Every structure is written in C-alpha cells, then in structure tokens.
Amino acid sequence: MSDDHAQSTNAAWGGRFAEATDAFVAEFTASIQFDQRLYRHDIQGSVAHATMLSEVGVLTADECEQIVNGLKAVQADIESGQQVWSVTLEDVHMNVESALTAKIGPVGKKLHTGRSRNDQVATDIRLYLREAIDGLSTELTRLQRGLVTLATNEADTIMPGFTHLQTAQPVTFGHHLLAWNEMLQRDFERLQDCRKRVNILPLGAAALAGTTFPINRERTAELLGFDRASENSLDSVSDRDFAIEFTHWASLTMMHLSRMSEELVLWASAQFDFINLPDRFCTGSSIMPQKKNPDVPELVRGKTGRVYGHLMSLLTLMKSQPLAYNKDNQEDKEPLFDTIDTLAGSLRAFADMVPYIEAKPAVMKAAALRGYSTATDLADYLVKKGMAFRDAHEVVGKSVAYGLAQGKDLSEMTLDELTPFSDTITADVFDVLTLEGSVAARDHLGGTAPNQVRAAAARAGVLLASR
Ligand code: ARG
C-alpha cells in the first residue's frame, strides 16, 4: 500500500480508513452539488445548537460566541460568492463546518458535539421546507384572491356548463371560477396541515440513539421556531414522511392546476374562443404567423407529470428501508427541491395570469344557446305544473329532437311549436327557457345564480382576508 493510500482525504471521518476514497466514489456519494442550497438553514440550525450547548454548559459562552460569529462570517462568504464547495467534504454540513474551523480555529471542531449529520440533515430539510411552505402559501393565497376578484366581476357572465364536455346547463363564469377556488382552498388547508408535521425538531436524535450530553431539545426547538421536539430518536433520523406528504400535496395541487390549464387551453382555442389570455402570457410559432399559444397553462399541465414522478420517487426511496438512517435518504433532496421549485413557478405564473383572463361574454352566451342547455329547466317547469319528472324528461327530449331538426334552440321556438309536446306549456315557459332565467333559478347555497355567486365570492374573500 502506497503512502498516499494510507492517508484519508476526509478529516471528518478518515481516522479508521487505510486508503483514500476513490475519486469517482467521492463524487458519486457526495451531495454538495445539490444540498448547498440548504446552507442558510444548516447555519441557522448550528447557531441554535451551539446556543443550546452553551446554555447547558457543554460549550463556554466564549466558545459559543466564536462559533456563532464564525458561522455568520461563513454565511457572508457564501452569499458573496467566496465559498468554494468541495466534493471531498461531501455535503453542505461538512463544508460549512470546515469553513468555520478554517475561520475560527480548533474551537470550530466543537460545534458537532452531541449531534450527527443524520439529525442535522433532517433538521435542515425541515427548516428549508417550512420556509418553502410559507412562500407557497402566500402564492396560493395570491392566486385565490385573483380568482375570487375575477369571479365577482364575472358573476353575471353566462357560459355553458359541461358534463362529458357536452353542453349541460348554463352556469355563470364566476361560478366556474369559484369552483377552481374551492380546489385551491382545500389545497391551502392541506398545506397548512402538512406544515404541522414538518415543524417538528429532529435534532438531538444524533446518529440514531440520542446523545450522552445533557442537551435541552425543547430549547433548541424553541430557538428554531419548531412546535416541539420529536419523540423518538430512531424515527427522527429515518422519517421522511413529511417530504412525501408535501410532495403528495404538491401532486394534488398540480392536478388542480392542470385541470384549470386544460380548460384555459380549450377556452383560448378558436373553436371555443371563450377567453383571451394576454399576449405576455403566450408565445408565438416560428413557422405559423397566426399562432398565439397558451404556453403558461400548457407548461403547467405538463409539469404536473414531473411532480407525480417525484412523489413516486420518494415513496419508492423510503419503501423497505430499515431503521434508522441510510444513505438512501440523501436521494430525498433532488425530488423535494424540484417539487418546491415547480410549485413555486407554477403558482407564480398562475397568480400573475389569472387576474388578466378576459372573458368573451357574447361568445360564451352564444355557445350556451347552442346546446339546449335549458332543457332541464323546461322539464322542471313541467314538474312544477304537476307532471312526473320522467314524463317531463320524455316531453323535453321530443322537443329537443324537434329543435335539432328545425335548427332552433328551445328558447327560439314559438308557443305553437311547444304546446304539441304538452298542453301544460303556457307563455310563462319563456321565463325559464332563457339563459338568464335558468341561472337565476338556481338560487341556493352552492348554486350558480349570480347573487349566490356574489355571496360565495364574498365569503371566500373573508376567508382570504384572514390569512
Ligand atoms: N449528505 C447526507 C444526506 O443528505 C447527510 C447525512 C449523512 N450521514 C451519514 N451518516 N453519512 O443525507
């Protein structure tokens, strides 16, 4: 064995090694390439840890001060671009610690007392994710506010409502927008619930069994704004449920955004032509000069796939892992980070765009008039005059068949054309056959009547104002 093999390259754990790490293995096993984005949270956790250690007498006040100031200086170096990240130092934790020791000398080596990278990394990710959740909550709220404002403005705008993508019954555009808001409201609530399980301190679990030092975990939790310290050291270093739960939240939210995207794409097409999306949210085609493509919703729809993929990656990553920490867990970061980035971008794009969706009320109304969308209203009318619903359904079906043959909507037929199907029909039928009459009649909690939409938007606005 040659001399250079007898020397380990890693000062943090090289003591028991007889040869240096293979260069490719060092690169392959390192995480610094992607975990450097945790630097601020790593330092935040270390400052709290050092503070707690000095309070319980494991570090002197002077040592703690040197460490805390040193960590702040390291952070300043990172933020001014002076930090050189080293693959040999594996990850953000050892890079920061090594930079600290280079700055303040041997006292820097005391920082890692009573902890392990296993509880350190779990703490860092939780701090990082908590901050990300708060940012995403703000964006989600901004998007919801835009939707609710638009819904209020479009409370009287009539469009066809669809089932099976076939014209079903007229609805108001405001009502449709508030349906989207309901999805997002659930997403917001789920995200706040997820945050509760993110906001728990694992630090103190050390490698897996706890530490022999007289640590005060409640104090560290308090310093870092965690709701509490975790209960079980083995679980603390091995648990990644919170990341999976967040990615599941993200998958549901992207599923919702993709449904909205699909509708926006359809509505922006020449065939529907229900809305206009401002040019700044669209792009053109390099070959077809007439094109204006709804890229933002298309891309959000497409990005849904990668988030579902990350959920599956994380679930599979954790499947069958024995307790406690395993190196596998290092693979949690890239899916989690990309999920956060994708949600941040998608929510931002939607929150920016939604207030500027322009409805085309005349086109929407004409479309609602085309598909016999008030047929159910005619049936309800007959029922109110004493006919059984199944019989009424039959009468209206025949009227629609007649209309199709004549190329006329129900509201365009004369009374003489309608009465042959049932002599119960009188002139007041035209009150219910109009689109306005149809939507106004659905006047109850959750219905599409314009005044219900305004009331629902007002309630949603109160909820949003309390955030
Ligand atoms: N870079 C590691 C990770 O991301 C940190 C924890 C490493 N722990 C260990 N015992 N090797 O998971």
Side-chain angles (χ1 to χ4, degrees):
M1 188 180 291
S2 70
D3 268 2
D4 54 318
H5 276 164
Q7 306 244 316
S8 166
T9 50
N10 197 306
W13 44 250
R16 62 98 70 216
F17 283 75
E19 62 174 358
T21 314
D22 176 88
F24 174 69
V25 170
E27 179 87 36
F28 185 70
T29 56
S31 54
I32 188 62
Q33 306 89 328
F34 49 84
D35 70 9
Q36 48 181 274
R37 69 155 88 187
L38 293 172
Y39 79 88
R40 203 157 40 79
H41 306 86
D42 191 70
I43 289 172
Q44 187 188 359
S46 290
V47 167
H49 181 63
T51 305
M52 179 279 291
L53 286 182
S54 77
E55 287 173 4
V56 299
V58 172
L59 290 178
T60 66
D62 176 57
E63 287 168 337
C64 175
E65 199 186 325
Q66 288 186 58
I67 288 174
V68 169
N69 290 337
L71 286 167
K72 286 181 183 158
V74 170
Q75 178 161 342
D77 282 355
I78 296 171
E79 286 168 358
S80 64
Q82 291 179 64
Q83 166 76 15
V84 181
W85 300 109
S86 149
V87 162
T88 312
L89 291 167
E90 258 183 73
D91 54 28
V92 66
H93 323 295
M94 293 205 292
N95 269 272
V96 168
E97 191 189 314
S98 156
L100 173 71
T101 302
K103 229 174 237 311
I104 65 170
V107 65
K109 297 184 186 175
K110 294 194 171 188
L111 171 61
H112 212 52
T113 312
R115 77 175 184 189
S116 147
R117 279 184 295 153
N118 297 351
D119 58 344
Q120 189 180 355
V121 68
T123 303
D124 291 6
I125 307 169
R126 285 171 182 268
L127 286 170
Y128 185 90
L129 183 55
R130 181 180 72 187
E131 191 176 298
I133 286 175
D134 292 343
L136 293 170
S137 300
T138 304
E139 282 301 76
L140 195 47
T141 300
R142 192 162 72 87
L143 168 54
Q144 285 190 262
R145 290 199 173 120
L147 273 177
V148 170
T149 304
L150 189 62
T152 310
N153 297 338
E154 303 291 350
D156 293 293
T157 308
I158 293 175
M159 66 183 283
F162 300 92
T163 60
H164 311 265
L165 203 57
Q166 308 291 314
T167 301
Q169 293 172 353
V171 294
T172 52
F173 186 40
H175 196 52
H176 197 114
L177 294 167
L178 288 182
W180 289 357
N181 183 57
E182 286 301 303
M183 303 174 186
L184 297 178
Q185 176 63 26
R186 291 191 293 274
D187 291 332
F188 183 85
E189 289 169 17
R190 267 188 286 269
L191 186 57
Q192 304 321 304
D193 198 55
C194 169
R195 190 188 192 280
K196 293 180 200 160
R197 281 171 295 281
V198 171
N199 203 27
I200 294 168
L201 174 81
L203 205 66
L208 77 166
T211 173
T212 57
F213 294 97
I215 57 171
N216 181 350
R217 299 187 62 218
E218 290 80 1
R219 176 65 177 144
T220 314
E222 183 190 333
L223 286 168
L224 291 171
F226 283 113
D227 293 332
R228 63 178 174 88
S230 57
E231 280 292 327
N232 181 294
S233 64
L234 291 168
D235 180 54
S236 305
V237 291
S238 71
D239 170 38
R240 292 294 183 273
D241 293 5
F242 62 94
I244 297 176
E245 197 177 334
F246 171 79
T247 309
H248 176 260
W249 166 83
S251 297
L252 268 181
T253 302
M254 289 303 289
M255 180 270 283
H256 290 148
L257 293 180
S258 82
R259 296 185 70 179
M260 297 175 203
S261 295
E262 175 72 6
E263 294 188 322
L264 290 173
V265 170
L266 283 172
W267 294 346
S269 70
Q271 287 65 30
F272 274 81
D273 196 28
F274 284 4
I275 58 163
N276 184 43
L277 292 176
D279 287 1
R280 64 184 181 282
F281 297 107
C282 300
T283 64
S285 157
S286 53
I287 175 169
M288 297 167 284
Q290 85 283 11
K291 291 298 289 292
K292 174 172 153 183
N293 298 327
D295 287 44
V296 167
E298 288 176 273
L299 205 49
V300 168
R301 189 176 60 186
K303 283 179 185 290
T304 306
R306 66 199 279 163
V307 175
Y308 291 1
H310 294 326
L311 175 60
M312 204 41 65
S313 298
L314 290 175
L315 282 168
T316 312
L317 172 68
M318 297 312 295
K319 177 185 175 295
S320 314
Q321 262 198 54
L323 295 180
Y325 177 87
N326 300 279
K327 185 73 170 180
D328 313 39
N329 288 352
Q330 182 166 291
E331 283 286 301
D332 62 357
K333 286 166 206 64
E334 289 162 291
L336 182 64
F337 293 159
D338 189 68
T339 299
I340 293 169
D341 293 347
T342 304
L343 267 289
S346 302
L347 287 172
R348 178 182 169 170
F350 255 71
D352 286 351
M353 177 181 68
V354 155
Y356 301 100
I357 296 172
E358 281 171 43
K360 297 185 177 178
V363 184
M364 287 179 169
K365 184 168 180 182
L369 280 172
R370 274 198 306 274
Y372 299 91
S373 62
T374 56
T376 317
D377 297 85
L378 179 55
D380 289 352
Y381 167 89
L382 294 168
V383 169
K384 285 172 192 160
K385 294 220 163 178
M387 196 180 283
F389 184 78
R390 276 294 148 232
D391 296 332
H393 191 286
E394 174 75 13
V395 166
V396 180
K398 289 190 169 133
S399 317
V400 167
Y402 170 83
L404 280 168
Q406 302 294 313
K408 283 185 177 174
D409 185 64
L410 291 172
S411 60
E412 293 166 335
M413 293 184 201
T414 63
L415 195 55
D416 285 347
E417 284 176 300
L418 286 166
T419 43
F421 300 105
S422 165
D423 50 19
T424 340
I425 299 177
T426 54
D428 60 356
V429 74
F430 295 105
D431 297 341
V432 308
L433 288 186
T434 63
L435 299 177
E436 290 77 8
S438 172
V439 293
R442 283 158 175 81
D443 187 12
H444 54 77
L445 177 68
T448 195
N451 61 305
Q452 291 293 343
V453 170
R454 272 185 282 272
R459 287 193 300 274
V462 170
L463 263 188
L464 290 169
S466 70
R467 286 189 193 164

